[in-house]
Amino acid sequence: MIPVTSVDRELKDQYDIIERVYQEVLRKFKLQEIHHMIGTMIEIPRAALTADKIAEYAQFFSFGTNDLTQMGFGFSRDDIGSFLPEYLEKKILPFDPFNVLDQEGIGQLMKIACEKGRKTRKDIKIGICGEHGGEPSSVEFCYSLGFNYVSCSPFRVPIAKLAAAQAKAKEKK
């Protein structure tokens, strides 16, 4: 997984390096193939908006929603504590966007990226990486976008599994 990608050519550059090393390893160990996938973290708004081009190289997207939230809002996680409590108290924000995924803004970037990525690569795998992956409403939102996987802290795995099961059950109703 190649992190912090913002331009498709950047991903191609890294892909070329990975392919060269892959071929070296095959030769060195006299192997025919090593199953692997190459993908990227979608953490930068520009990457979400140009996901169709990025999907020309990426076999999967993993949304780094903490960084995407930080860049999308223009908030620094280092100083959010100085104003977030007041924003929550005054209802400027309905919730801490680092705890609950902002579906209206950041979620729309994710939706755009999913649509564009799938337009280029129909079989692209898409998932979420980070603490939003263990928050029930965020998992349900990702399920609605057709995500293939969730990655989160080990203590959040049971919550993520339950939230995914509930989203699937809700869909069947």
Side-chain angles (χ1 to χ4, degrees), residues 123-136:
D123 64 342
I124 194 164
K125 303 293 183 227
I126 300 176
I128 184 172
C129 178
E131 297 313 295
H132 288 123
E135 193 283 315

Side-chain angles (χ1 to χ4, degrees), residues 31 44 58 61-62 65 69 83 87 118 120 129 135 137 142 146 169:
L31 299 170
I44 298 173
F61 292 162
S62 184
T65 54
T69 296
F83 65 87
Y87 272 35
R118 288 182 179 125
T120 298
C129 178
E135 193 283 315
S137 67
C142 292

Side-chain angles (χ1 to χ4, degrees), residues 1-72:
M1 181 173 3
I2 301 164
V4 199
T5 303
S6 61
V7 180
D8 60 308
R9 291 176 306 280
E10 181 180 28
L11 191 59
K12 183 191 181 321
D13 176 73
Q14 295 304 296
Y15 186 92
D16 290 345
I17 293 167
I18 292 166
E19 184 60 28
R20 186 186 76 238
V21 171
Y22 173 71
Q23 293 302 324
E24 289 173 10
V25 169
L26 290 180
R27 281 191 302 278
K28 180 177 180 178
F29 294 100
K30 297 176 175 51
L31 299 170
Q32 296 295 315
E33 179 183 12
I34 301 170
H35 178 72
H36 68 287
M37 293 177 69
I38 301 170
T40 189
M41 288 280 271
I42 302 290
E43 305 166 274
I44 298 173
R46 187 184 195 289
L49 297 172
T50 60
D52 51 336
K53 292 182 173 132
I54 289 174
E56 290 176 19
Y57 304 101
Q59 296 167 308
F60 67 88
F61 292 162
S62 184
F63 284 93
T65 54
N66 284 334
D67 287 333
L68 191 58
T69 296
Q70 180 170 288
M71 291 188 187

